[in-house]
Each structure stands twice: as structure tokens, then as C-alpha cells.
Amino acid sequence: MSRTIHVLNGPNLDRLGKREPEIYGRTTLAEIEALCRAEAGNDSIVFRQTNWEGQLIEWIHEAIDTDAAGLVINPAGLSFRSIPLVDALRMFPRPIVELHISNIHRRDALHQHSLVSTVATAVIAGLGARGYGVALRALRDMLDEAA
Ligand code: DHK
């Protein structure tokens, strides 16, 4: 059966490559998308980024309504303050991998307590851009196991 995995990216991640490279590295979002597609195997990937909270929430609704098999989400700064985002994710009935490029637990207090982690199946932080590949491999394994 063909599965679709949604990879959703939040605010400012369109600036990857030139944004604070000492924290986020030099890999661009386009390169991350290519990396995700290379890890997809037989699965389809919907890869998206937005700077708008409401758009991210609409895309989660779409993932629910179209029976997406799983979700990888880097909510970026919305991780730490968006109750509506948490509420939307709570409705998603399949595995959710929350991903942060940086290790948020080593960062300043503002970046340490992700609300999204309270509804995520798993959390990856601090692996840099390669975390996306790890997230997809783990998610695909989980889905295979549950099939
Ligand atoms: C990206 C951001 O934009 C920050 O707001 C988060 C996350 C960390 C990341 O590491 O990918 O705190």
C-alpha cells in the first residue's frame, strides 16, 4: 500500500543555510528536502515550510483528512508557545516525530520547553540536518512494524 508522509517546517526554516550557521549549520531547506526524498523509499513525501502558524495548522488538518501515514514536524519557534498547533497535532492519529536541528535542551530558557513534545510520538534534537533522515528512517520503521 502506498503511504504518504508529511514533513512540515515552521517559521524561519526557509532561511536555513544562512541563518545562524553556528546553530543550524549550512544545509539549506532545499537540500533537506532532497535528503528526505532520498530516504523515502516507496513512500511519498509531502515537504512544506511556512512562516505562518495558521498555515501549519491547515496542513496538519489536511494530513488528517487525507490519511497521511505519519508526520515529521520541525515546528521551530512555534514549539514553545503554540497551543493551537498542539491541539491540531493531538488530532493526528498516527506517529508524529518532532524534530529540531539544534539541541534545544542546551539552549537558552526560551528554547528549552517544547509544548509539541507533549503530543509527539518521538523527539529528535541536535543531529543537525541529518536528523531529518533519521526521523524518516525511524518513522518508516514504525509504520512497517505496525502494518
Ligand atoms: C528551529 C528554530 O527556528 C528554533 O526556534 C527552535 C529549531 C529550534 C531547530 O533547531 O530546528 O528553537
Side-chain angles (χ1 to χ4, degrees):
M1 203 183 71
S2 121
R3 304 182 300 204
T4 302
I5 296 172
H6 291 227
V7 182
L8 302 181
N9 294 281
N12 300 308
L13 294 171
D14 51 337
R15 315 295 291 180
L16 286 175
K18 45 188 179 229
R19 168 193 185 202
E20 296 178 277
E22 66 288 358
I23 297 177
Y24 299 107
R26 295 205 177 268
T27 309
T28 65
L29 195 63
E31 289 165 338
I32 289 175
E33 177 171 0
L35 184 156
C36 288
R37 296 200 183 280
E39 285 294 343
N42 293 329
D43 293 328
S44 300
I45 298 289
V46 172
F47 188 96
R48 289 166 160 167
Q49 186 276 333
T50 181
N51 293 324
W52 297 88
E53 181 178 19
Q55 178 65 83
L56 202 53
I57 290 165
E58 295 279 4
W59 284 339
I60 293 164
H61 293 176
E62 186 187 311
I64 295 166
D65 293 342
T66 58
D67 281 331
L71 211 59
V72 173
I73 184 164
N74 184 344
L78 296 172
S79 315
F80 313 102
R81 67 159 187 86
S82 177
I83 302 284
L85 179 62
V86 171
D87 288 343
L89 288 169
R90 204 191 295 280
M91 290 188 278
F92 185 75
R94 302 218 168 78
I96 300 171
V97 180
E98 174 188 0
L99 176 130
H100 303 277
I101 292 166
S102 62
N103 180 356
I104 56 172
H105 305 289
R106 282 180 65 167
R107 296 187 59 182
D108 56 285
L110 272 182
H111 287 92
Q112 282 181 10
H113 296 288
S114 167
L115 301 176
V116 170
S117 299
T118 63
V119 291
T121 310
V123 183
I124 293 173
L127 291 178
R130 72 173 66 79
Y132 283 82
V134 173
L136 273 171
R137 280 199 291 284
L139 185 54
R140 296 185 69 230
D141 270 4
M142 278 191 267
L143 295 173
D144 287 347
E145 223 172 73

